Amino acid sequence: NAGVMQNPRHLVRRRGQEARLRCSPMKGHSHVYWYRQLPEEGLKFMVYLQKENIIDESGMPKERFSAEFPKEGPSILRIQQVVRGDSAAYFCASSPGQGNTGELFFGEGSRLTVL
Amino acid sequence: GENVEQHPSTLSVQEGDSAVIKCTYSDSASNYFPWYKQELGKGPQLIIDIRSNVGEKKDQRIAVTLNKTAKHFSLHITETQPEDSAVYFCAASTGRKYIFGTGTRLKVLA
C-alpha cells in the first residue's frame, strides 16, 4: 500500500539547467497537488491537476514552470533555466478526487538545490 | 485572494503542559479544516481534521475546535511530550484548493 512517491528526493542543478520532479500519487488517486516550501516557511500552493488536465495553476510562476499529469505515468513538475531562488522543497500531495473534501496525502518531498 | 493566518509562529511549552495553535481563514466557502504535523526532512502528515458541520473533534491528546461564524479554528494538544515537537500547519479547503497557514514550530521542553 505505497503512499505518494516523489523522486528524486534530492536534486542539485546549476543555474540555467532544467529540473524535473516526479510524483506518483497513491493508488486510486486521480488528483495531484504541488506545493513549494522555502526553508523555515509554509507550504505555498502551486498547481492542482487531474489526469490530463490542469485544474488550477494560479500559484505557478508564469515563466519557466510547468506541470503535467499524463494519462499514464507520474505527474511531473518541470522548472526550466533554474535560478538560485528556485532552491526549495517541492511537495506533491494526492487525493481521491474533486468534490471529495478529504485528506491530502503528502510525499516526502524533492529538495532542489541550485548552485 | 484566499488566506489562512496562523499564530503563533513559534511555541515553547514544558513537557506535560498544553499547547494551543490558532488559525483564521478568509474564504467562507471553506468546509474542511485539516491539521498537519511536519517533522524535520519529512512530508506533512495529517493528525486531525474537522468538517464545517462539526464544532469540535477530539482524538486522544489532540482536539480541534471550529467557529464558522468567526472563521476561526484551533488545535489543542494536551499533556505534551517531546515527540510532539515539530512544525504544525493548519489548512482550509473548499474541496478544490487547500490553503495552508504559515506553520507553528512547537518545542516541547523536557
Side-chain angles (χ1 to χ4, degrees):
Chain A
N1 189 19
V4 178
M5 304 299 291
Q6 287 190 249
N7 68 83
R9 292 292 312 278
H10 300 274
L11 182 63
V12 178
R13 285 288 179 265
R14 296 192 179 280
R15 280 179 296 170
Q17 292 184 320
E18 178 179 289
R20 280 187 184 231
L21 310 177
R22 287 175 290 278
C23 169
S24 295
M26 283 187 71
K27 187 176 180 181
H29 286 192
S30 58
H31 289 236
V32 163
Y33 299 74
W34 285 94
Y35 287 83
R36 176 162 65 176
Q37 186 176 39
L38 294 170
E40 304 296 316
E41 292 193 11
L43 296 156
K44 295 289 188 187
F45 169 77
M46 298 182 74
V47 63
Y48 167 32
L49 313 102
Q50 65 179 117
K51 290 277 187 183
E52 300 183 282
N53 242 337
I54 296 175
I55 306 297
D56 185 337
E57 58 182 346
S58 58
M60 282 272 269
K62 292 286 185 277
E63 297 177 354
R64 303 188 297 109
F65 285 72
S66 62
E68 62 175 6
F69 189 14
K71 188 176 180 181
E72 301 291 337
S75 174
I76 295 176
L77 179 67
R78 181 183 179 205
I79 311 172
Q80 295 178 288
Q81 299 173 342
V82 296
V83 301
R84 289 222 172 102
D86 296 333
S87 295
Y90 292 84
F91 287 96
C92 169
S94 72
S95 74
Q98 185 178 0
N100 176 32
T101 308
E103 181 179 355
L104 282 187
F105 293 82
F106 279 87
E108 295 287 83
S110 290
R111 282 152 184 83
L112 172 66
T113 301
V114 179
L115 301 177
Chain B
E2 306 97 337
N3 186 44
V4 175
E5 293 188 1
Q6 183 172 347
H7 300 281
S9 56
T10 59
L11 179 59
S12 293
V13 299
Q14 289 295 133
E15 184 178 357
D17 286 352
S18 295
V20 180
I21 303 170
K22 298 182 178 183
C23 288
T24 305
Y25 61 98
S26 61
D27 188 347
S28 55
S30 298
N31 55 13
Y32 175 65
F33 306 92
W35 286 87
Y36 285 82
K37 177 182 180 182
Q38 186 178 29
E39 296 177 333
L40 192 63
K42 300 206 167 186
Q45 287 209 308
L46 181 79
I47 54 170
I48 195 167
D49 56 13
I50 192 167
R51 299 182 189 278
S52 57
N53 57 348
V54 175
E56 185 174 353
K57 183 176 177 180
K58 191 173 181 181
D59 182 4
Q60 298 183 339
R61 296 186 297 109
I62 295 172
V64 59
T65 59
L66 171 65
N67 182 332
K68 279 217 79 177
T69 303
K71 296 183 188 170
H72 288 170
F73 57 116
S74 301
L75 177 72
H76 304 252
I77 306 174
T78 58
E79 300 170 27
T80 53
Q81 300 167 4
E83 51 266 36
D84 294 330
S85 296
V87 179
Y88 291 81
F89 292 98
C90 63
S93 173
T94 60
R96 178 183 176 93
K97 189 187 285 188
Y98 294 71
I99 304 297
F100 283 81
T102 48
T104 296
R105 183 174 297 280
L106 174 64
K107 291 184 185 176
V108 179
L109 307 171

